[in-house]
Amino acid sequence: MTPIDLNADLGEGFGRWRLTDDERLLSVVTSANVACGFHAGDAATMRRVCELAAARGVRIGAQVSYRDLAGFGRRAMDVPPAELTAEVAYQIGALEVFARAAGTRVSYVKPHGALYNRVVRDEEQAGAVVDGVLLADASLPVLGLPGSRLLERAGKAGLPTVTEAFADRAYTDEGTLVPRDREGAVVTDPEAVVERSVSMARFGTVDARSGARIEVRARSLCLHGDTPGAVELARRVRERLQEAGVRVEAFA
């Protein structure tokens, strides 16, 4: 059985405001997608999360985003490719400083929010993200949705690619995520999230929003850190996976 990585979005605060319970989530997950200041996060927050992650042996990933603090990176934006490439590299570089200071390094890259969804289908924006990763570090794995333009472009460029699934997000019949502005886009029943996690990890399948069983094969499973009860839910998911015989370990 293929091992599964558990990742969560962390460092999603700014100044005195904190959204995610970073310390407690880092006791559960194996990879941390750290906000790099464009949708959330600031220098002090990035440094703190890197130190906490390094102390627990959790891999650090750069969660790159459109420059959209007010919209939490979830608003559609049109950014010229050359600008997006530079901004992706900039975000990775900023996080790398704090990762190295904590005795570790950035281990992978994952887009956030609107950028994540855009690069599923947009060839140009996907290429710009890949170029940004190459500019920062041509050895970094890219984490994304199976079948996305992002992973296709990353693979062609020689970057390692890692497929990801979402325990608490509804899927379309095509294997993409239901947009957040649609009813039922987020799965809120904790038991359903746990059951979906086991199904995806053991069998590579999940029930789409329509009820159809679809294939979702992934090496990493995302557990959102900004949902109510996120820490306890993450613990339940990890415990149930291990009870089902699934080995939980980082991919990087």
Side-chain angles (χ1 to χ4, degrees):
M1 188 182 299
T2 302
I4 196 78
D5 168 71
L6 295 180
N7 77 77
D9 302 345
L10 300 178
E12 292 185 328
F14 199 85
R16 297 178 63 185
W17 173 72
R18 294 187 184 182
L19 178 63
T20 49
D21 190 340
D22 299 324
E23 189 164 4
R24 293 174 65 203
L25 278 168
L26 283 167
S27 69
V28 181
V29 300
T30 48
S31 295
N33 316 316
V34 183
C36 298
F38 273 37
H39 74 280
D42 54 30
T45 300
M46 292 161 68
R47 182 180 184 184
R48 176 178 56 82
V49 175
C50 284
E51 289 173 347
L52 290 170
R56 290 160 176 75
V58 175
R59 301 298 185 269
I60 294 171
Q63 187 160 44
V64 297
S65 169
Y66 287 129
R67 188 188 293 270
D68 181 27
L69 276 175
F72 196 59
R74 288 180 174 163
R75 298 186 293 191
M77 302 183 76
D78 288 314
V79 179
E83 184 177 334
L84 181 57
T85 290
E87 292 190 339
V88 166
Y90 178 93
Q91 292 174 77
I92 296 169
L95 187 64
E96 179 70 7
V97 168
F98 299 116
R100 287 187 179 274
T104 184
R105 58 163 296 177
V106 171
S107 296
Y108 65 95
V109 178
K110 174 185 172 179
H112 165 82
L115 182 58
Y116 187 98
N117 292 322
R118 180 76 171 265
V119 296
V120 170
R121 295 190 175 92
D122 191 309
E123 188 82 25
E124 186 176 61
Q125 294 281 281
V129 171
V130 169
D131 288 344
V133 178
L134 291 170
L135 185 60
D137 184 343
S139 69
L140 287 175
V142 176
L143 181 62
L145 206 66
S148 65
R149 292 290 176 267
L150 174 67
L151 295 192
E152 180 183 332
R153 289 293 296 263
K156 288 180 178 178
L159 293 170
T161 60
V162 183
T163 53
E164 175 182 41
F166 291 80
D168 59 356
R169 289 294 308 278
Y171 279 83
T172 68
D173 289 356
E174 292 73 36
T176 58
L177 301 179
V178 173
R180 278 185 175 269
D181 59 359
R182 296 186 185 175
E183 185 178 354
V186 178
V187 180
T188 57
D189 178 20
E191 188 58 31
V193 173
V194 172
E195 290 178 358
R196 286 159 57 89
S197 300
V198 174
S199 178
M200 288 188 281
R202 291 196 63 194
F203 310 113
T205 61
V206 70
D207 288 340
R209 188 183 177 205
S210 68
R213 178 63 57 92
I214 61 172
E215 185 175 291
V216 180
R217 298 196 178 274
R219 176 63 178 83
S220 186
L221 187 65
C222 181
L223 303 169
H224 282 103
D226 60 345
T227 55
V231 176
E232 183 56 35
L233 181 56
R235 286 194 179 124
R236 288 180 60 186
V237 167
R238 179 159 186 162
E239 288 172 359
R240 191 73 67 86
L241 287 170
Q242 291 172 327
E243 289 170 0
V246 179
R247 191 166 75 254
V248 179
E249 64 179 37
F251 62 81

